[in-house]
Amino acid sequence: MPADAARQPPRDFVLVHGAWHGGWCWDPVRARLEAAGHRVHTPTLPGLAERAGELTADTSLADHIADLAQFITARDLSGFVLVGHSYGGMVITGVADVLKDRIAHILYLDAALPRDGESMISYGAPRPAEAIAAAEAGLRGLAPDGIAMAPFPPAMLGIPPGHPQHDRVAALLTPHPLKTWLDPIRLAHDGPAGIPRTYVHCIAPALTGTQFPYLARMAAADPEWRYAELATGHEAMLTSPEATARLLLDTLAHLRHFPAAGITDHPSPQEPV
C-alpha cells in the first residue's frame, strides 16, 4: 500500500462487478482497502450470483442502475469512490448521471464507458451498423432462452487454467441478463462529466475483441482524465489485487472535496430517474 494510505481519513468505496460476476469478485481488494481503514461496499446486481433468483427476461440496464442508486442512497453514502469493472462501467455511468453530487471520484477498471444512447455493444469507436448487428447476434447466441448469456470461461477473461483463482471463478460465474447488454443508456446529465475520474486499462494481456483499448487512448489523451495501466489481465481485482487496491487508494489524492466518511452533512442527492 502507498506509504501515506494510513494518513488518509476513512472513505467509502463502492465496487461494482462486471457481467457474470457478483460482489464476491472484489473480496481480495476489499480486504486490502479495509486494512487501510476504509469502508468497502460490494453490491451484487439483480439477477446475478446470490441474486440469480431475481433474473427475468425483463431485467434491464435501467434496473441495474436504479438498484445501485438505491443501494447508495439507502446508506446515505456521499464523498465516496465509485468503481466499475467491465460491464459495471455501464452501471456506474448511469449512477453518476443521477447521483453526480454524491461521488468524489469515479474509476473505470477495464470498463465500458458509454455516451447517451449507446449500449454495451455499441459504445466505443464508431462501427458500421452491420458490425453492431453481428455483435448482437453473437450475444443472442449465448442466450438461447432469450433471457441470460452463458458465462465466458475464466480463461477468456484472463484467468488461465492453473491460476489459483481459476476454479473458484468458474464455479461462481452465473448467467448474465441479456437485455442489460442490448439496452441503450439514457444520460440526462452527461454521465461522469464533472466528477474527478480515472480510466485503468489492463494490458497483460489486454482482453481481445473489446473497446477498452479505444477508451484507454481517449482517456490518456484527455486532461480531464487520470489514466493508468495494470500489467495483468482483465480480471485485475482477482489476478492482481494488491496493485488494484493501490490504484484505488491513489484516487484519494484526487477527490472532489467532501467531508470524511461518517460525517453526515451530505449534499442533497439527485433522485434516480
Side-chain angles (χ1 to χ4, degrees):
M1 292 298 153
D4 61 349
R7 296 196 297 270
Q8 293 285 353
R11 288 281 170 180
D12 289 287
F13 286 79
V14 179
L15 312 181
V16 183
H17 63 84
W20 306 295
H21 292 61
W24 56 264
C25 70
W26 293 106
D27 287 352
V29 171
R30 171 200 280 274
R32 289 161 169 82
L33 296 180
E34 289 179 341
H38 302 289
R39 299 191 302 216
V40 184
H41 310 268
T42 57
T44 291
L45 298 169
L48 291 148
E50 72 273 16
R51 301 182 68 181
E54 301 174 34
L55 174 66
T56 74
D58 295 324
T59 303
S60 66
L61 174 60
D63 291 336
H64 280 179
I65 292 168
D67 188 84
L68 180 59
Q70 194 278 332
F71 178 95
I72 290 165
T73 57
R75 289 157 181 80
D76 198 22
L77 302 182
S78 191
F80 62 92
V81 178
L82 180 61
V83 180
H85 175 247
S86 200
Y87 161 78
M90 298 291 296
V91 182
I92 66 170
T93 297
V95 167
D97 198 60
V98 296
L99 297 180
K100 196 181 295 283
D101 291 341
R102 287 181 175 256
I103 301 167
H105 199 100
I106 188 167
L107 184 143
Y108 291 77
L109 177 59
D110 228 25
L113 176 59
R115 293 166 292 199
D116 182 51
E118 294 181 334
S119 70
M120 186 65 183
I121 59 173
S122 66
Y123 80 89
R127 282 138 22 237
E130 295 81 2
I132 304 298
E136 179 174 342
L139 289 182
R140 291 188 182 278
L142 293 174
D145 61 0
I147 298 174
M149 300 177 291
F152 285 176
M156 288 184 64
L157 299 172
I159 306 180
H163 188 281
Q165 290 284 353
H166 179 276
D167 291 350
R168 175 175 181 258
V169 171
L172 291 175
L173 295 177
T174 51
H176 187 93
L178 172 65
K179 193 172 187 299
T180 66
W181 277 41
L182 302 179
D183 289 344
I185 197 167
R186 298 303 178 196
L187 302 173
H189 306 287
D190 297 324
I195 303 171
R197 52 202 185 271
T198 298
Y199 196 90
V200 179
H201 187 30
C202 301
I203 61 169
L207 189 65
T208 60
T210 73
Q211 294 298 307
F212 305 146
Y214 172 85
L215 297 177
R217 291 191 297 272
M218 176 211 72
D222 188 337
E224 293 189 0
W225 284 84
R226 293 178 65 247
Y227 175 69
E229 295 177 346
L230 280 174
T232 191
H234 182 58
E235 301 279 85
M237 62 281 182
L238 293 163
T239 58
S240 192
E242 182 71 24
T244 301
R246 188 178 303 115
L247 273 176
L248 300 192
L249 291 171
D250 285 347
T251 66
L252 299 179
H254 302 275
L255 299 178
R256 181 196 298 181
H257 176 70
F258 280 88
I263 299 176
T264 57
D265 55 338
H266 303 313
S268 298
Q270 295 172 314
E271 291 299 321
V273 294

